[in-house]
Amino acid sequence: MTPTEALLFAVHCLERSREGGFRLKAYLRALDVVNGLGDAEVAERADAGSLERLDGIGESIAALLTDVVRTGYSPRLVELEDRTRVQVSETARPYRSLLRGDCHLHTTWSDGSTSIDEMIGIARSL
């Protein structure tokens, strides 16, 4: 997983749980910063311990990105995924197992917070 993919996945988790607000905005801001730098420069900064010096990258997101650069994943993402996983009732479980993707999405074209390009990136990484 790349730093960009990690942030896209975090945004996906926050959006699917309808957890908006500050956290989602922070991850979207960090995604803009990472997209501007590129994954290679993010990796260099993670190794140098200088990610937090970037406007838009706080302590928590810097730790997540450093984990991803060093190991390819982050326990923070695992925790976020577990916490935001959509609960499915036993009645709905057989139907849910037939689904192969999201059935309804909102982008920045309406009231969502993710662009079409970012959604494409999330879908590819999933």
Side-chain angles (χ1 to χ4, degrees):
M1 175 178 283
T2 67
T4 300
E5 290 169 339
L7 293 173
L8 285 169
F9 184 71
V11 167
H12 164 73
C13 289
L14 292 169
E15 285 193 326
R16 77 176 175 195
S17 70
R18 300 178 188 243
E19 196 177 305
F22 176 76
R23 284 190 78 192
L24 179 58
K25 288 178 184 178
Y27 277 96
L28 289 169
R29 172 76 173 111
L31 182 59
D32 284 343
V33 171
V34 168
N35 282 335
L37 295 175
D39 289 330
E41 185 172 342
V42 171
E44 288 175 19
R45 289 177 178 265
D47 289 339
S50 64
L51 283 171
E52 287 181 63
R53 293 185 197 145
L54 296 169
D55 187 33
I57 306 286
E59 180 181 337
S60 178
I61 292 176
L64 181 146
L65 292 172
T66 300
D67 287 345
V68 168
V69 165
R70 291 181 180 159
T71 67
Y73 88 104
S74 173
R76 294 165 194 269
L77 285 177
V78 174
E79 292 168 16
L80 182 60
E81 181 178 24
D82 288 345
R83 187 172 52 76
T84 62
R85 182 172 283 123
V86 176
Q87 300 301 314
V88 178
S89 70
E90 288 302 317
T91 304
R93 196 169 304 283
Y95 301 104
R96 175 65 183 241
S97 67
L98 299 174
L99 296 177
R100 296 290 178 235
D102 286 325
C103 297
H104 184 98
L105 304 167
H106 287 246
T107 69
T108 53
W109 289 353
S110 63
D111 60 348
S113 58
T114 309
S115 72
I116 291 288
D117 290 335
E118 290 167 337
M119 281 197 180
I120 291 168
I122 293 166
R124 285 183 176 147
S125 68
L126 291 174

